[in-house]
Amino acid sequence: MLGENEITDEEKGWALKLQLLAQKEGVVIENTFMLHAFALLGKGDAKKALHRAKHVSETMRQYGVCETSQAESTAWMQREEFAGFFLASGEDEGGLLMMCTNMKRFVPKELLKTEQDWRFLIRGLTDDMRSLTPTLRDVRQGCCMLSWFKGFGWKNFNEKRQRRLAAVYQDAYPIKMKRLIVVDPP
């Protein structure tokens, strides 16, 4: 049985292929854990894994996420108009790490007025995704998101802003959404 951060010989081969391809393409992968996480989600397809790693790197650079501290992002997310959007995380009944969101609290035109707002939001979102994938076991297993939509309406949605936000989690950060639970859908 594998430990929480151990990989199989086959997965080591995937990681090596990804590492060599990343070096060839000039893509920097943050650390060994992230290399293994991307390789696991690519399931042996180094090009697919590299696409995700490249997308994360480009998004982080575009939004200046590395120049933003966790403390700054957390303070921004604790403002009254945003408080309660990301709720406490825990585990579901199957042991998946879980994040909860109150979608009514996400009002893009009020929250995302400046590029700095975007930087803080994306830093916070990537920090939350890191907290949902603390071990390779969690990367393999996936996570769960519970989203509460009571009171959600058109004021909570903006297609242009959603597309920008999707750059962080869609084919990018090495996270697998195993289950999405929607409560009180609109």
Side-chain angles (χ1 to χ4, degrees), residues 83-183:
F85 174 60
F86 289 119
L87 303 172
S89 297
E91 288 185 2
D92 73 358
E93 72 280 358
L96 296 177
L97 290 178
M98 185 164 90
M99 177 195 310
C100 302
T101 60
N102 180 349
M103 297 305 294
K104 175 175 82 171
R105 302 296 297 183
F106 185 70
V107 183
K109 70 179 182 182
E110 294 175 16
L111 298 171
L112 301 171
K113 296 177 183 174
T114 68
E115 287 303 309
Q116 184 178 30
D117 291 335
W118 275 100
R119 189 171 62 245
F120 290 150
L121 176 65
I122 290 175
R123 172 62 196 247
L125 183 57
T126 56
D127 287 343
D128 285 340
M129 288 189 289
R130 283 182 193 277
S131 73
L132 292 169
T133 55
T135 69
L136 293 174
R137 179 190 65 83
D138 295 308
V139 172
R140 277 187 193 90
Q141 184 173 292
C143 65
C144 175
M145 178 177 247
L146 184 142
S147 292
W148 185 32
F149 279 86
K150 185 174 183 172
F152 183 87
W154 284 112
K155 73 178 192 273
N156 305 95
F157 183 79
N158 178 294
E159 184 177 356
K160 183 179 174 185
R161 289 181 174 118
Q162 284 303 118
R163 287 177 192 245
R164 284 183 78 180
L165 199 52
V168 179
Y169 58 82
Q170 190 174 40
D171 292 329
Y173 196 87
I175 190 168
K176 178 172 39 172
M177 188 65 60
K178 187 74 171 188
R179 185 178 351 193
L180 174 62
I181 301 167
V182 175
V183 179

Side-chain angles (χ1 to χ4, degrees), residues 14 18 21 29 35 37-55 172:
W14 297 349
L18 173 57
L21 186 58
I29 298 178
L35 174 73
F38 282 118
L40 288 173
L41 290 186
K43 295 183 179 178
D45 185 340
K47 287 183 182 181
K48 180 179 174 181
L50 183 65
H51 171 78
R52 290 181 84 115
K54 193 182 290 188
H55 199 180

